[in-house]
Amino acid sequence: MQTGFRLNWTPIKEPLGFIKVVQWLTAVFAFASCGGYAGQNVISLSCDRSINATLSAAFSYPFRLNQVLLVEGNITLCNHTLTETRLLGDFSSSAEFFVAVAVLAFLYCTAALLVYLGYMHVYQDSDFGPMCDFVVTAMFAFLWLVCSSAWARGLQMIKFATGTEGIRATLEPCRSSSLRCEVTEFASMCTLDISVVFGYLNLIVWACNAWFVYKETRWHSRKLSSHQGVGRGRGPGPSTAPI
């Protein structure tokens, strides 16, 4: 069996290769929309119906909000003293897990496409290639389910921590009736919402691709041959003629 590189674009025209290209693109959009995010919310502090001060909360990937300073030093406002305060929560684990799965999926798709386009003759003539491809594809489908769910939950908590309710929970003086704290300028989180959508889209694409990869394995061929053997073994039943 020759194992040299043979460039062949035919696999891209088939579901096995075409879906791999789709996976490559969706993985890129997933980690790009999450890993490159940066935003800032502006909080207005007011008493006596007039804005007396503003605070800014700038946050970005990997969303370690407990390291973001909300109040630097001490501020006295409306007979309330605001000490040095940071935002609530550390959501780096879910964000980094999501991006890590996306980057690994991107790298695997790149390697798989290289095999499909240049070494498809080796891939189809061996049992190891298709079975390994199927196991890795199924594993990534499961990882996309876990990381997308974790990141969706983490994003929900980020929105709360940087919103009005979260800021009021962070700054104790804001809970009093004399000092009003409200987020007046919100950072757009559309790209983060899109990242969650691409996470679940990857789940669907990888789960569908698992079926096409499974068809290349000997598990599927054995099952198919056994069904065909059973079909050929069934002869016509005994006929009974009326007496």
Side-chain angles (χ1 to χ4, degrees):
M1 180 180 65
Q2 297 181 357
T3 59
F5 182 85
R6 301 179 189 173
L7 182 60
N8 183 10
W9 296 99
T10 303
I12 299 297
K13 303 175 184 179
E14 299 175 353
L16 183 68
F18 178 77
I19 295 180
K20 193 64 67 179
V21 175
V22 175
Q23 290 173 333
W24 188 88
L25 292 173
T26 53
V28 170
F29 284 119
F31 72 73
S33 57
C34 178
Y37 180 82
Q40 176 176 290
N41 284 3
V42 176
I43 302 98
S44 298
L45 309 179
S46 60
C47 59
D48 301 328
R49 297 181 181 180
S50 62
I51 298 177
N52 302 93
T54 58
L55 302 174
S56 61
F59 51 96
S60 60
Y61 175 85
F63 307 103
R64 293 187 176 92
L65 301 186
N66 56 358
Q67 298 181 6
V68 177
L69 276 174
L70 182 59
V71 178
E72 299 182 12
N74 297 330
I75 300 177
T76 302
L77 183 64
C78 300
N79 297 324
H80 293 283
T81 301
L82 304 179
T83 59
E84 182 176 285
T85 308
R86 301 175 187 271
L87 292 176
L88 294 176
D90 182 356
F91 308 99
S92 59
S93 58
S94 60
E96 289 176 339
F97 180 38
F98 181 83
V99 171
V101 171
V103 172
L104 291 175
F106 165 79
L107 294 176
Y108 180 74
C109 287
T110 303
L113 285 173
L114 178 63
V115 173
Y116 291 170
L117 296 179
Y119 299 94
M120 196 62 180
H121 56 288
V122 180
Y123 179 90
Q124 292 178 332
D125 290 340
S126 65
D127 293 332
F128 175 78
M131 288 191 296
C132 180
D133 194 12
F134 171 72
V135 171
V136 175
T137 301
M139 181 183 66
F140 267 111
F142 175 74
L143 287 176
W144 277 116
L145 171 63
V146 176
C147 75
S148 299
S149 300
W151 172 230
R153 176 60 178 170
L155 178 57
Q156 183 181 5
M157 298 304 296
I158 290 171
K159 291 180 178 180
F160 172 80
T162 57
T164 299
E165 294 299 324
I167 296 300
R168 289 175 180 173
T170 304
L171 297 174
E172 185 176 353
C174 293
R175 303 169 195 169
S176 65
S177 58
S178 59
L179 181 61
R180 182 178 180 183
C181 305
E182 185 175 0
V183 178
T184 53
E185 295 183 20
F186 288 89
S188 175
M189 295 190 181
C190 290
T191 55
L192 297 182
D193 293 329
I194 291 174
S195 69
V196 174
V197 173
F198 272 106
Y200 286 110
L201 179 61
N202 271 286
L203 165 63
I204 297 173
V205 173
W206 282 82
C208 292
N209 184 233
W211 165 247
F212 292 102
V213 177
Y214 172 72
K215 291 175 66 176
E216 299 293 326
T217 65
R218 64 180 180 182
W219 299 320
H220 179 265
S221 59
R222 286 179 179 176
K223 183 178 179 180
L224 186 62
S225 61
S226 65
H227 282 304
Q228 291 176 347
V230 171
R232 287 194 299 268
R234 292 175 180 173
S239 59
T240 58
I243 298 175

